[in-house]
Amino acid sequence: TLQSLPAEIRSEAMDVIALLPKAGGTLLVNCFGRQETEPAGSSSPWPLTLSELGRFQESGLVQVSVEELKIKSRDGGKKTRFRIEYQKP
């Protein structure tokens, strides 16, 4: 998953993943998320920001929908998950 990759290679991986759908195809991203102001954390899986995920749009995909979900974490708190649908034109 993207979240397990170090930040230094994540953009390159996103560029390659964006090549996978054929024209008219869909890419669904489901990942832990964080706000831009929140720290990334010290170990994987690293939660991603919406601006990081914007790399898929820079790679030619069109964002169709975005959902920000709050789910209960093991420690009783809440974690953010992003569910984003992209389409290749």
Side-chain angles (χ1 to χ4, degrees):
T1 70
L2 289 170
Q3 294 174 247
S4 65
L5 298 175
E8 306 83 56
I9 62 171
R10 203 174 294 142
S11 292
E12 184 179 342
M14 290 172 147
D15 292 343
V16 173
I17 291 169
L19 296 172
L20 296 175
K22 66 179 186 172
T26 298
L27 173 70
L28 182 63
V29 175
N30 188 9
C31 66
F32 284 111
R34 65 181 173 90
Q35 302 304 314
E36 303 292 333
T37 56
E38 294 178 308
S42 58
S43 64
S44 75
W46 292 284
L48 305 176
T49 64
L50 289 175
S51 65
E52 287 177 292
L53 293 165
R55 181 68 180 216
F56 286 118
Q57 291 169 276
E58 294 170 19
S59 297
L61 300 179
V62 175
Q63 185 175 291
V64 175
S65 65
V66 178
E67 291 179 85
E68 184 174 331
L69 310 165
K70 298 291 185 186
I71 60 167
K72 190 181 275 189
S73 63
R74 291 181 183 158
D75 63 7
K78 298 257 181 185
K79 287 193 171 192
T80 300
R81 285 196 77 85
F82 294 133
R83 188 178 312 158
I84 307 174
E85 180 183 352
Y86 297 97
Q87 190 169 47
K88 183 171 264 182

Short mmCIF file of all heavy atoms in Angstrom, two decimals, residues 15-43:
data_model
loop_
_atom_site.label_atom_id
_atom_site.label_comp_id
_atom_site.label_asym_id
_atom_site.label_seq_id
_atom_site.Cartn_x
_atom_site.Cartn_y
_atom_site.Cartn_z
N ASP A 15 2.49 7.79 -9.41
CA ASP A 15 2.55 7.97 -10.86
C ASP A 15 2.37 6.64 -11.58
O ASP A 15 1.67 6.55 -12.59
CB ASP A 15 3.89 8.60 -11.27
CG ASP A 15 4.05 10.04 -10.81
OD1 ASP A 15 3.04 10.69 -10.45
OD2 ASP A 15 5.20 10.52 -10.79
N VAL A 16 3.01 5.59 -11.06
CA VAL A 16 2.91 4.27 -11.68
C VAL A 16 1.50 3.69 -11.50
O VAL A 16 0.92 3.14 -12.44
CB VAL A 16 3.99 3.32 -11.11
CG1 VAL A 16 3.78 1.89 -11.61
CG2 VAL A 16 5.38 3.82 -11.47
N ILE A 17 0.95 3.85 -10.30
CA ILE A 17 -0.41 3.34 -10.05
C ILE A 17 -1.41 4.03 -10.96
O ILE A 17 -2.36 3.40 -11.45
CB ILE A 17 -0.78 3.53 -8.56
CG1 ILE A 17 0.07 2.59 -7.70
CG2 ILE A 17 -2.27 3.29 -8.33
CD1 ILE A 17 -0.01 2.86 -6.21
N ALA A 18 -1.21 5.32 -11.22
CA ALA A 18 -2.14 6.08 -12.08
C ALA A 18 -2.14 5.55 -13.51
O ALA A 18 -3.10 5.78 -14.26
CB ALA A 18 -1.78 7.56 -12.07
N LEU A 19 -1.12 4.81 -13.91
CA LEU A 19 -1.07 4.22 -15.25
C LEU A 19 -1.93 2.97 -15.37
O LEU A 19 -2.25 2.54 -16.48
CB LEU A 19 0.38 3.85 -15.61
CG LEU A 19 1.38 4.99 -15.72
CD1 LEU A 19 2.79 4.43 -15.88
CD2 LEU A 19 1.02 5.91 -16.86
N LEU A 20 -2.30 2.37 -14.26
CA LEU A 20 -2.98 1.07 -14.28
C LEU A 20 -4.39 1.08 -14.86
O LEU A 20 -4.72 0.18 -15.64
CB LEU A 20 -2.98 0.46 -12.88
CG LEU A 20 -1.60 0.14 -12.31
CD1 LEU A 20 -1.72 -0.33 -10.86
CD2 LEU A 20 -0.89 -0.90 -13.15
N PRO A 21 -5.26 2.04 -14.51
CA PRO A 21 -6.60 1.98 -15.11
C PRO A 21 -6.55 2.28 -16.61
O PRO A 21 -5.77 3.13 -17.05
CB PRO A 21 -7.39 3.07 -14.38
CG PRO A 21 -6.58 3.46 -13.21
CD PRO A 21 -5.17 3.11 -13.53
N LYS A 22 -7.40 1.60 -17.37
CA LYS A 22 -7.50 1.91 -18.79
C LYS A 22 -8.42 3.13 -18.94
O LYS A 22 -9.07 3.55 -17.98
CB LYS A 22 -8.03 0.71 -19.58
CG LYS A 22 -9.44 0.32 -19.25
CD LYS A 22 -9.89 -0.85 -20.09
CE LYS A 22 -11.36 -1.11 -19.82
NZ LYS A 22 -11.92 -2.09 -20.72
N ALA A 23 -8.52 3.68 -20.12
CA ALA A 23 -9.40 4.84 -20.37
C ALA A 23 -10.82 4.50 -19.93
O ALA A 23 -11.34 3.44 -20.26
CB ALA A 23 -9.37 5.22 -21.84
N GLY A 24 -11.40 5.37 -19.12
CA GLY A 24 -12.73 5.14 -18.58
C GLY A 24 -12.73 4.29 -17.31
O GLY A 24 -13.77 4.12 -16.69
N GLY A 25 -11.56 3.78 -16.94
CA GLY A 25 -11.45 2.93 -15.75
C GLY A 25 -11.41 3.73 -14.46
O GLY A 25 -11.20 4.94 -14.45
N THR A 26 -11.59 3.03 -13.37
CA THR A 26 -11.68 3.63 -12.05
C THR A 26 -10.56 3.15 -11.15
O THR A 26 -10.18 1.97 -11.18
CB THR A 26 -13.04 3.27 -11.40
OG1 THR A 26 -14.08 3.80 -12.21
CG2 THR A 26 -13.17 3.81 -10.00
N LEU A 27 -10.04 4.07 -10.33
CA LEU A 27 -9.10 3.74 -9.27
C LEU A 27 -9.76 4.16 -7.97
O LEU A 27 -10.18 5.32 -7.83
CB LEU A 27 -7.77 4.48 -9.45
CG LEU A 27 -6.77 4.33 -8.30
CD1 LEU A 27 -6.21 2.91 -8.27
CD2 LEU A 27 -5.64 5.34 -8.45
N LEU A 28 -9.88 3.24 -7.02
CA LEU A 28 -10.44 3.55 -5.71
C LEU A 28 -9.32 3.53 -4.68
O LEU A 28 -8.62 2.52 -4.55
CB LEU A 28 -11.52 2.53 -5.34
CG LEU A 28 -12.22 2.77 -4.01
CD1 LEU A 28 -12.99 4.09 -4.02
CD2 LEU A 28 -13.16 1.61 -3.71
N VAL A 29 -9.15 4.63 -3.98
CA VAL A 29 -8.14 4.74 -2.93
C VAL A 29 -8.86 4.75 -1.60
O VAL A 29 -9.77 5.54 -1.38
CB VAL A 29 -7.30 6.02 -3.10
CG1 VAL A 29 -6.33 6.19 -1.94
CG2 VAL A 29 -6.56 6.01 -4.43
N ASN A 30 -8.44 3.86 -0.71
CA ASN A 30 -9.01 3.77 0.63
C ASN A 30 -7.84 3.73 1.59
O ASN A 30 -7.08 2.75 1.60
CB ASN A 30 -9.88 2.51 0.73
CG ASN A 30 -10.66 2.44 2.01
OD1 ASN A 30 -10.71 3.39 2.78
ND2 ASN A 30 -11.26 1.29 2.25
N CYS A 31 -7.63 4.79 2.36
CA CYS A 31 -6.43 4.87 3.19
C CYS A 31 -6.71 5.65 4.47
O CYS A 31 -7.67 6.40 4.57
CB CYS A 31 -5.31 5.53 2.42
SG CYS A 31 -5.61 7.27 2.01
N PHE A 32 -5.82 5.46 5.45
CA PHE A 32 -5.86 6.32 6.62
C PHE A 32 -5.43 7.71 6.18
O PHE A 32 -4.55 7.87 5.33
CB PHE A 32 -4.92 5.81 7.72
CG PHE A 32 -5.48 4.63 8.45
CD1 PHE A 32 -4.91 3.38 8.30
CD2 PHE A 32 -6.58 4.76 9.27
CE1 PHE A 32 -5.42 2.28 8.96
CE2 PHE A 32 -7.11 3.67 9.94
CZ PHE A 32 -6.53 2.42 9.78
N GLY A 33 -6.07 8.71 6.75
CA GLY A 33 -5.78 10.08 6.36
C GLY A 33 -5.43 10.94 7.55
O GLY A 33 -5.62 10.55 8.71
N ARG A 34 -4.92 12.11 7.24
CA ARG A 34 -4.63 13.11 8.27
C ARG A 34 -4.78 14.48 7.66
O ARG A 34 -4.73 14.64 6.43
CB ARG A 34 -3.23 12.92 8.84
CG ARG A 34 -2.11 13.15 7.85
CD ARG A 34 -0.75 12.91 8.49
NE ARG A 34 0.30 12.96 7.49
CZ ARG A 34 0.94 14.08 7.14
NH1 ARG A 34 0.67 15.23 7.71
NH2 ARG A 34 1.88 14.04 6.20
N GLN A 35 -4.99 15.47 8.50
CA GLN A 35 -5.06 16.85 8.05
C GLN A 35 -3.65 17.35 7.79
O GLN A 35 -2.67 16.82 8.33
CB GLN A 35 -5.76 17.71 9.10
CG GLN A 35 -7.18 17.25 9.43
CD GLN A 35 -8.06 17.18 8.20
OE1 GLN A 35 -8.09 18.08 7.38
NE2 GLN A 35 -8.79 16.08 8.07
N GLU A 36 -3.52 18.39 6.99
CA GLU A 36 -2.21 18.95 6.64
C GLU A 36 -1.41 19.35 7.88
O GLU A 36 -0.19 19.29 7.88
CB GLU A 36 -2.38 20.16 5.72
CG GLU A 36 -3.15 19.89 4.45
CD GLU A 36 -2.43 18.98 3.47
OE1 GLU A 36 -1.18 18.94 3.47
OE2 GLU A 36 -3.11 18.30 2.70
N THR A 37 -2.10 19.78 8.92
CA THR A 37 -1.43 20.28 10.13
C THR A 37 -1.05 19.18 11.11
O THR A 37 -0.34 19.44 12.07
CB THR A 37 -2.35 21.29 10.84
OG1 THR A 37 -3.60 20.65 11.12
CG2 THR A 37 -2.58 22.51 9.98
N GLU A 38 -1.52 17.96 10.86
CA GLU A 38 -1.20 16.85 11.76
C GLU A 38 0.13 16.22 11.37
O GLU A 38 0.46 16.12 10.19
CB GLU A 38 -2.29 15.79 11.70
CG GLU A 38 -3.63 16.25 12.25
CD GLU A 38 -4.69 15.18 12.12
OE1 GLU A 38 -4.88 14.65 10.99
OE2 GLU A 38 -5.32 14.88 13.13
N PRO A 39 0.90 15.74 12.36
CA PRO A 39 2.16 15.07 12.04
C PRO A 39 1.92 13.73 11.33
O PRO A 39 0.89 13.08 11.53
CB PRO A 39 2.81 14.86 13.40
CG PRO A 39 1.69 14.89 14.38
CD PRO A 39 0.64 15.79 13.79
N ALA A 40 2.88 13.33 10.52
CA ALA A 40 2.76 12.09 9.76
C ALA A 40 2.89 10.85 10.64
O ALA A 40 2.41 9.80 10.30
CB ALA A 40 3.81 12.05 8.65
N GLY A 41 3.57 10.98 11.75
CA GLY A 41 3.81 9.82 12.60
C GLY A 41 5.20 9.27 12.35
O GLY A 41 5.89 9.65 11.40
N SER A 42 5.61 8.35 13.19
CA SER A 42 6.98 7.86 13.13
C SER A 42 7.12 6.48 12.52
O SER A 42 8.24 6.00 12.32
CB SER A 42 7.59 7.88 14.53
OG SER A 42 6.81 7.08 15.40
N SER A 43 6.01 5.79 12.25
CA SER A 43 6.12 4.46 11.66
C SER A 43 4.93 4.20 10.74
O SER A 43 3.91 4.86 10.82
CB SER A 43 6.18 3.40 12.75
OG SER A 43 4.97 3.38 13.48
#
